[in-house]
């Protein structure tokens, strides 16, 4: 992703039911950071978005989101696999994330990609919804 993609990515994200809303200004700040990796998937428009924060030798998957009309076509799988390939080139050996306990789709997606659930943060989202902690060795 580059700064030129910010408008189209923020528009796509505004229509996705992620737990944390990412604005155009957030994206500009992320892109200016050396410790963030952001990948997008494109067809005729933005299909998917993935953001990692590097904390060597670990990385946190901060967000992954796919446009509703592109779901269940392997977009998230492709982004995650490409992201893991890049993380390995940066010496990252472990990936972790938080996901809302209510987000069945994402929890299933991570489960099919070798993440295991290993903790719970109470009332993490909006002081009401718990987050499940997941991680995997890469
Ligand atoms: C979770 C999300 C990123 C998955 O994106 P996607 O491109 O549709 O996922 P893929 O097509 O790569 O799915 C790969 C596998 O994950 C699992 N999976 C994905 N979505 C699923 C769903 N809604 N229900 C059950 N399993 C699902 C399946 O095993 C799927 O393989 P299959 O389609 O062959 O059965 C997408 O649903 C999304 O953007 N959700 C909203 C944002 C979000 O909650 N992000 C997570 C923040 S922590």
């Amino acid at each position: 992703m580059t700064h030129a993609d910010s408008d189209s990515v923020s528009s796509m994200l505004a229509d996705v039911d992620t737990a944390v809303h990412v604005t155009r200004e957030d994206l500009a700040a992320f892109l200016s950071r050396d410790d963030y990796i952001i990948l997008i998937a494109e067809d005729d428009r933005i299909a998917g978005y993935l953001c990692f924060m590097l904390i060597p030798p670990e990385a946190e998957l901060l967000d992954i989101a796919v446009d509703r009309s592109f779901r269940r076509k392997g977009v998230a799988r492709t982004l995650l696999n490409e992201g893991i390939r890049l993380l390995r080139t940066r010496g990252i050996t472990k990936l972790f994330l938080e996901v809302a306990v209510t987000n069945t789709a994402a929890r299933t997606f991570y489960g099919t990609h070798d993440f295991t659930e290993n903790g719970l943060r109470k009332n993490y989202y909006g002081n009401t919804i718990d987050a499940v902690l997941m991680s995997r060795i890469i």
Side-chain angles (χ1 to χ4, degrees), residues 22-69:
V22 178
T23 65
R24 190 184 190 291
E25 290 69 32
D26 293 329
L27 291 170
F30 296 167
L31 286 167
S32 69
R33 290 179 61 146
D34 290 339
D35 58 343
Y36 274 46
I37 292 178
I38 303 182
L39 301 177
I40 52 172
E42 280 183 286
D43 192 9
D44 53 336
R45 58 202 165 88
I46 304 296
Y49 162 87
L50 169 64
C51 180
F52 294 120
M53 179 170 65
L54 309 189
I55 313 139
E58 301 187 358
E60 180 169 6
L61 197 168
L62 293 178
D63 201 2
I64 186 165
V66 172
D67 182 286
R68 291 173 197 281
S69 60

Side-chain angles (χ1 to χ4, degrees), residues 40-124:
I40 52 172
E42 280 183 286
D43 192 9
D44 53 336
R45 58 202 165 88
I46 304 296
Y49 162 87
L50 169 64
C51 180
F52 294 120
M53 179 170 65
L54 309 189
I55 313 139
E58 301 187 358
E60 180 169 6
L61 197 168
L62 293 178
D63 201 2
I64 186 165
V66 172
D67 182 286
R68 291 173 197 281
S69 60
F70 286 95
R71 291 196 186 160
R72 300 305 287 267
K73 297 175 189 295
V75 173
R77 177 187 295 126
T78 303
L79 282 168
L80 182 62
N81 288 341
E82 177 62 10
I84 288 172
R85 190 190 67 75
L86 283 171
L87 291 177
R88 287 179 179 140
T89 69
R90 304 276 288 264
I92 302 297
T93 57
K94 184 178 176 185
L95 191 51
F96 67 96
L97 59 89
E98 291 101 27
V99 57
V101 70
T102 49
N103 192 342
T104 314
R107 287 175 68 183
T108 306
F109 170 75
Y110 296 132
T112 62
H113 289 82
D114 301 329
F115 284 85
T116 53
E117 300 191 356
N118 41 29
L120 196 71
R121 287 197 206 285
K122 296 295 284 179
N123 302 324
Y124 185 76

